[in-house]
Amino acid sequence: MKKTIAILTLGLMVYACAKVPLTGRMQLAAVSNEEIMPLVNEEYSKIKNESKVLTQTPQGQQVVNVGKRISKAVEDFLLQEGYQDLVATFNWEFNLLESEQVNAWCMPGGKVAFYTGIMPICQDETGIAVVMGHEVAHAVASHSRERMSNGMLANLGISAISVAMGQNPTLTEQIFLQSIGMGSQLGMLSFSRKHELEADELGLIFMAMAGYDPRQAPIFWERMAKVGGEAPPEFLSTHPGPDRRIERLNANMVKALEYYNK
């Protein structure tokens, strides 16, 4: 039986693959966007209902304006490059939620949340753009879908969300929340770090596409490095350290500046 499951899993990993725009990396896509979106809408609504939403405040409107500007630039680029099907999956929404957590995240389809705890580190719209570009990159690269696919196969041995919800809805929800950077880790730490560096690379380009100076990204991470002391903020807890991120951002700066100077 175990051998059969292993063979089926290997076959699924061979055929259920997709390519990340710009980086070209192949990723597991066993869970479809159509399957995951009902869970996205349910969880995003639940989080908004359980939180104090500050989107109509001046800071909240900054988050919305930066989100719209970056997502528009990214969609225009993706359409130009032939990713019409991917663009059709986006239904962008940007909200600022009251929380001391230094964190932000993005669900599949472009459901973004910033916590007020990260806003002092952002300082201004360009700082918000550093984080927003990173979060939009997670949606464009379908990182949550990839993590969800890997998590369900690793923990449940299945790839259909409807079956998983029937067998173990609590674990399925936990896997989903972890896939967007919330909840327990469930053994997906290596995927998180790989995805964070990829989102940094893409996010740097995306903020540049939208007219924000990408040279401010390493400066943002220098500010982030000074936060938290021995207890790093949630935004860093499963992610590569600031020094490594700054090194990689600087290595990709020439490419990002080409988009910024167009």
Coordinates of all heavy atoms in Angstrom, one line a residue, residues 149-208:
S149 N -0.2 22.2 -1.6 CA 0.0 21.0 -2.3 C 1.0 20.1 -1.6 O 0.7 18.9 -1.3 CB 0.5 21.2 -3.7 OG -0.4 22.0 -4.5
N150 N 2.1 20.6 -1.2 CA 3.1 19.8 -0.5 C 2.7 19.4 0.9 O 2.9 18.3 1.3 CB 4.4 20.6 -0.4 CG 5.3 20.6 -1.6 OD1 5.8 19.6 -2.0 ND2 5.3 21.8 -2.3
G151 N 2.0 20.3 1.6 CA 1.5 20.0 2.9 C 0.5 18.9 3.0 O 0.5 18.1 3.8
M152 N -0.5 19.0 2.0 CA -1.5 18.0 2.0 C -1.0 16.6 1.6 O -1.4 15.6 2.2 CB -2.6 18.4 1.0 CG -3.5 19.6 1.6 SD -4.7 20.2 0.4 CE -5.6 18.7 0.0
L153 N -0.1 16.6 0.7 CA 0.5 15.3 0.3 C 1.4 14.7 1.4 O 1.3 13.5 1.7 CB 1.4 15.5 -1.0 CG 0.6 15.7 -2.3 CD1 1.6 16.0 -3.4 CD2 -0.1 14.4 -2.7
A154 N 2.1 15.6 2.1 CA 3.0 15.1 3.2 C 2.2 14.7 4.4 O 2.6 13.7 5.1 CB 4.0 16.2 3.6
N155 N 1.1 15.4 4.8 CA 0.4 15.1 6.0 C -0.9 14.3 5.8 O -1.3 13.6 6.8 CB 0.0 16.5 6.7 CG 1.2 17.3 7.2 OD1 1.7 17.0 8.3 ND2 1.7 18.2 6.4
L156 N -1.4 14.3 4.6 CA -2.7 13.5 4.4 C -2.6 12.5 3.3 O -3.4 11.7 3.2 CB -3.8 14.5 4.1 CG -4.2 15.5 5.3 CD1 -5.1 16.6 4.8 CD2 -4.9 14.7 6.4
G157 N -1.5 12.6 2.5 CA -1.4 11.7 1.4 C -2.4 11.9 0.3 O -2.6 11.0 -0.6
I158 N -3.0 13.1 0.2 CA -4.0 13.4 -0.8 C -3.9 14.8 -1.3 O -3.2 15.6 -0.7 CB -5.5 13.2 -0.3 CG1 -5.7 14.0 1.0 CG2 -5.8 11.8 0.0 CD1 -7.1 13.9 1.6
S159 N -4.5 15.1 -2.5 CA -4.3 16.5 -3.0 C -5.6 17.2 -3.3 O -5.6 18.3 -3.7 CB -3.5 16.4 -4.4 OG -4.2 15.6 -5.3
A160 N -6.7 16.5 -3.1 CA -8.0 17.1 -3.3 C -8.5 17.8 -2.0 O -8.7 17.1 -1.0 CB -9.1 16.1 -3.7
I161 N -8.8 19.1 -2.1 CA -9.2 19.8 -0.9 C -10.5 19.3 -0.3 O -10.7 19.2 0.9 CB -9.3 21.3 -1.2 CG1 -7.9 21.9 -1.4 CG2 -10.0 22.1 0.0 CD1 -7.8 23.4 -1.7
S162 N -11.4 19.0 -1.2 CA -12.8 18.5 -0.8 C -12.6 17.2 0.0 O -13.3 17.1 1.0 CB -13.7 18.3 -2.0 OG -13.1 17.4 -2.9
V163 N -11.7 16.3 -0.4 CA -11.5 15.1 0.3 C -10.9 15.4 1.6 O -11.2 14.8 2.7 CB -10.7 14.1 -0.5 CG1 -10.3 12.9 0.3 CG2 -11.4 13.8 -1.8
A164 N -9.9 16.3 1.6 CA -9.1 16.6 2.8 C -10.1 17.2 3.9 O -10.0 16.9 5.1 CB -8.0 17.6 2.5
M165 N -11.0 18.1 3.4 CA -11.9 18.7 4.4 C -12.8 17.7 5.0 O -13.2 17.8 6.1 CB -12.7 19.8 3.6 CG -11.9 21.1 3.3 SD -11.2 21.9 4.7 CE -12.7 22.6 5.4
G166 N -13.2 16.7 4.2 CA -14.1 15.6 4.7 C -13.4 14.8 5.7 O -14.0 14.3 6.7
Q167 N -12.1 14.5 5.5 CA -11.3 13.6 6.3 C -10.8 14.2 7.6 O -10.9 13.7 8.7 CB -10.2 12.9 5.5 CG -10.6 11.9 4.5 CD -9.4 11.2 3.9 OE1 -8.3 11.4 4.3 NE2 -9.7 10.4 2.9
N168 N -10.3 15.5 7.4 CA -9.6 16.1 8.5 C -9.7 17.7 8.3 O -8.7 18.3 7.9 CB -8.2 15.7 8.7 CG -7.6 16.1 10.1 OD1 -8.0 17.1 10.7 ND2 -6.7 15.2 10.6
P169 N -10.8 18.3 8.5 CA -11.0 19.7 8.3 C -10.0 20.6 9.1 O -9.5 21.6 8.6 CB -12.4 20.0 8.6 CG -12.9 18.9 9.5 CD -12.1 17.7 9.0
T170 N -9.8 20.2 10.3 CA -8.9 21.0 11.2 C -7.5 21.0 10.7 O -6.9 22.1 10.6 CB -8.9 20.4 12.7 OG1 -10.2 20.5 13.2 CG2 -8.0 21.3 13.5
L171 N -6.9 19.9 10.3 CA -5.6 19.8 9.8 C -5.5 20.5 8.4 O -4.5 21.2 8.1 CB -5.1 18.4 9.6 CG -3.7 18.1 9.1 CD1 -2.7 18.9 9.9 CD2 -3.4 16.6 9.0
T172 N -6.6 20.4 7.6 CA -6.6 21.0 6.3 C -6.5 22.5 6.5 O -5.8 23.2 5.8 CB -7.8 20.6 5.5 OG1 -7.9 19.2 5.4 CG2 -7.8 21.3 4.1
E173 N -7.3 23.1 7.4 CA -7.3 24.5 7.7 C -5.9 24.9 8.2 O -5.4 26.0 7.8 CB -8.4 24.9 8.7 CG -8.4 26.4 9.0 CD -9.5 26.7 10.0 OE1 -9.7 25.9 10.9 OE2 -10.1 27.8 9.9
Q174 N -5.3 24.1 9.0 CA -4.0 24.4 9.6 C -3.0 24.5 8.5 O -2.1 25.4 8.5 CB -3.6 23.4 10.6 CG -2.4 23.7 11.5 CD -2.1 22.7 12.5 OE1 -2.8 21.7 12.6 NE2 -1.1 23.0 13.4
I175 N -3.0 23.5 7.5 CA -2.1 23.5 6.4 C -2.3 24.8 5.6 O -1.3 25.4 5.1 CB -2.3 22.2 5.6 CG1 -1.9 21.0 6.3 CG2 -1.5 22.3 4.2 CD1 -2.3 19.7 5.7
F176 N -3.5 25.2 5.4 CA -3.8 26.4 4.6 C -3.2 27.6 5.2 O -2.6 28.4 4.6 CB -5.3 26.5 4.3 CG -5.7 27.8 3.7 CD1 -5.4 28.0 2.3 CD2 -6.2 28.9 4.4 CE1 -5.7 29.3 1.7 CE2 -6.5 30.1 3.8 CZ -6.3 30.3 2.5
L177 N -3.5 27.8 6.5 CA -3.0 28.9 7.2 C -1.5 29.0 7.2 O -0.9 30.1 7.1 CB -3.6 29.0 8.7 CG -5.1 29.2 8.8 CD1 -5.5 29.1 10.2 CD2 -5.5 30.6 8.2
Q178 N -0.8 27.8 7.4 CA 0.6 27.8 7.3 C 1.1 28.2 5.9 O 2.1 28.9 5.8 CB 1.2 26.5 7.7 CG 2.7 26.5 8.0 CD 3.5 26.5 6.8 OE1 3.1 25.9 5.7 NE2 4.7 27.1 6.8
S179 N 0.3 27.8 4.9 CA 0.8 28.1 3.5 C 0.8 29.6 3.2 O 1.5 30.0 2.3 CB -0.2 27.4 2.5 OG -1.4 28.1 2.4
I180 N 0.1 30.4 4.0 CA 0.1 31.9 3.8 C 1.0 32.6 4.9 O 1.0 33.8 4.9 CB -1.3 32.5 3.8 CG1 -2.0 32.3 5.1 CG2 -2.1 31.9 2.6 CD1 -3.2 33.1 5.2
G181 N 1.6 31.8 5.7 CA 2.5 32.4 6.7 C 1.9 32.5 8.1 O 2.3 33.3 8.9
M182 N 0.8 31.8 8.3 CA 0.1 31.8 9.6 C 0.0 30.3 10.1 O 0.0 29.4 9.3 CB -1.3 32.4 9.5 CG -1.3 33.8 9.0 SD -3.0 34.4 8.6 CE -3.7 34.5 10.2
G183 N -0.1 30.1 11.4 CA -0.3 28.8 11.9 C 1.0 28.1 12.1 O 2.1 28.6 11.9
S184 N 0.9 26.8 12.5 CA 2.1 26.0 12.8 C 2.8 25.6 11.6 O 2.3 25.7 10.5 CB 1.7 24.8 13.7 OG 0.9 23.9 12.9
Q185 N 4.1 25.1 11.7 CA 4.9 24.9 10.5 C 4.7 23.6 9.7 O 4.9 23.6 8.6 CB 6.4 25.0 10.9 CG 6.8 26.4 11.4 CD 6.3 27.5 10.4 OE1 6.5 27.4 9.2 NE2 5.5 28.4 10.9
L186 N 4.3 22.5 10.4 CA 4.0 21.3 9.8 C 5.1 20.8 8.8 O 4.9 20.2 7.8 CB 2.7 21.4 9.0 CG 1.4 21.6 9.8 CD1 0.2 21.9 8.9 CD2 1.2 20.5 10.8
G187 N 6.4 21.1 9.2 CA 7.5 20.6 8.4 C 7.8 21.3 7.1 O 8.5 20.7 6.3
M188 N 7.2 22.4 6.9 CA 7.4 23.1 5.6 C 8.3 24.3 5.7 O 8.3 25.2 4.9 CB 6.0 23.6 5.1 CG 5.1 22.5 4.5 SD 3.7 23.1 3.7 CE 2.6 23.3 5.1
L189 N 9.3 24.3 6.7 CA 10.2 25.4 6.9 C 11.1 25.6 5.7 O 11.3 26.7 5.2 CB 11.0 25.1 8.1 CG 11.9 26.3 8.6 CD1 11.0 27.5 9.0 CD2 12.7 25.8 9.8
S190 N 11.6 24.5 5.0 CA 12.5 24.7 3.9 C 11.8 25.4 2.7 O 12.3 26.2 2.0 CB 13.0 23.3 3.5 OG 12.0 22.5 3.1
F191 N 10.5 25.0 2.5 CA 9.7 25.6 1.5 C 9.5 27.1 1.8 O 9.6 28.0 0.9 CB 8.3 25.0 1.3 CG 8.4 23.6 0.7 CD1 8.2 22.5 1.5 CD2 8.8 23.4 -0.6 CE1 8.2 21.2 0.9 CE2 8.8 22.2 -1.2 CZ 8.6 21.0 -0.4
S192 N 9.3 27.4 3.0 CA 9.1 28.8 3.4 C 10.3 29.7 3.1 O 10.2 30.8 2.5 CB 8.8 28.9 4.9 OG 7.6 28.3 5.2
R193 N 11.5 29.2 3.4 CA 12.7 30.0 3.2 C 13.0 30.1 1.7 O 13.3 31.2 1.2 CB 13.9 29.3 3.9 CG 13.8 29.5 5.4 CD 14.9 28.8 6.1 NE 14.9 29.1 7.5 CZ 15.4 28.3 8.5 NH1 16.0 27.2 8.2 NH2 15.3 28.7 9.7
K194 N 12.8 29.1 0.9 CA 12.9 29.2 -0.5 C 12.0 30.1 -1.1 O 12.3 31.0 -2.0 CB 12.7 27.8 -1.2 CG 12.8 27.7 -2.7 CD 12.7 26.3 -3.2 CE 11.4 25.7 -2.9 NZ 11.3 24.3 -3.4
H195 N 10.7 30.1 -0.7 CA 9.7 31.0 -1.2 C 9.9 32.4 -0.8 O 9.7 33.4 -1.6 CB 8.3 30.6 -0.7 CG 7.9 29.3 -1.3 ND1 6.9 28.5 -0.7 CD2 8.3 28.6 -2.4 CE1 6.7 27.4 -1.4 NE2 7.5 27.4 -2.5
E196 N 10.4 32.7 0.4 CA 10.7 34.0 0.8 C 11.8 34.7 0.0 O 11.7 35.9 -0.4 CB 11.1 34.0 2.3 CG 10.0 33.7 3.3 CD 8.7 34.5 3.0 OE1 8.8 35.7 2.9 OE2 7.6 33.9 3.0
L197 N 12.8 34.0 -0.3 CA 13.9 34.5 -1.1 C 13.4 34.8 -2.6 O 13.8 35.8 -3.2 CB 15.1 33.6 -1.1 CG 15.9 33.5 0.2 CD1 17.0 32.5 0.1 CD2 16.5 34.9 0.5
E198 N 12.6 33.9 -3.1 CA 12.0 34.1 -4.4 C 11.1 35.3 -4.4 O 11.0 36.1 -5.3 CB 11.3 32.8 -4.9 CG 10.8 32.9 -6.3 CD 10.3 31.5 -6.8 OE1 9.3 31.0 -6.2 OE2 10.9 31.0 -7.8
A199 N 10.3 35.4 -3.3 CA 9.4 36.6 -3.2 C 10.1 37.9 -3.1 O 9.7 38.9 -3.6 CB 8.4 36.4 -2.0
D200 N 11.3 37.9 -2.4 CA 12.1 39.0 -2.3 C 12.6 39.4 -3.7 O 12.6 40.6 -4.1 CB 13.4 38.7 -1.4 CG 13.1 38.8 0.0 OD1 12.0 39.3 0.4 OD2 13.9 38.4 0.8
E201 N 13.1 38.5 -4.5 CA 13.6 38.7 -5.8 C 12.5 39.3 -6.7 O 12.7 40.4 -7.4 CB 14.1 37.5 -6.5 CG 14.6 37.6 -7.9 CD 15.1 36.3 -8.5 OE1 15.2 35.3 -7.8 OE2 15.3 36.3 -9.7
L202 N 11.3 38.7 -6.7 CA 10.2 39.2 -7.6 C 9.7 40.5 -7.0 O 9.3 41.4 -7.8 CB 9.1 38.1 -7.6 CG 9.4 36.8 -8.3 CD1 8.2 35.8 -8.1 CD2 9.6 37.0 -9.8
G203 N 9.6 40.6 -5.7 CA 9.0 41.8 -5.1 C 9.8 43.0 -5.4 O 9.3 44.1 -5.6
L204 N 11.2 42.9 -5.5 CA 12.0 43.9 -5.8 C 11.7 44.5 -7.2 O 11.7 45.7 -7.5 CB 13.5 43.4 -5.7 CG 14.6 44.5 -5.8 CD1 14.6 45.3 -4.5 CD2 16.0 43.8 -6.0
I205 N 11.5 43.5 -8.1 CA 11.2 43.9 -9.5 C 9.8 44.5 -9.6 O 9.6 45.5 -10.3 CB 11.3 42.7 -10.4 CG1 12.7 42.2 -10.5 CG2 10.7 43.0 -11.8 CD1 12.9 40.9 -11.2
F206 N 8.8 44.0 -8.8 CA 7.5 44.5 -8.9 C 7.3 45.9 -8.3 O 6.6 46.7 -8.9 CB 6.5 43.5 -8.1 CG 6.4 42.2 -8.8 CD1 5.8 41.1 -8.0 CD2 6.7 41.9 -10.1 CE1 5.7 39.9 -8.6 CE2 6.6 40.7 -10.7 CZ 6.1 39.6 -9.9
M207 N 8.0 46.2 -7.2 CA 8.0 47.6 -6.7 C 8.6 48.5 -7.7 O 8.1 49.7 -7.9 CB 8.6 47.7 -5.3 CG 10.1 47.5 -5.3 SD 10.8 47.7 -3.6 CE 10.5 49.5 -3.3
A208 N 9.7 48.1 -8.4 CA 10.3 48.9 -9.4 C 9.4 49.1 -10.6 O 9.3 50.3 -11.2 CB 11.6 48.2 -9.9

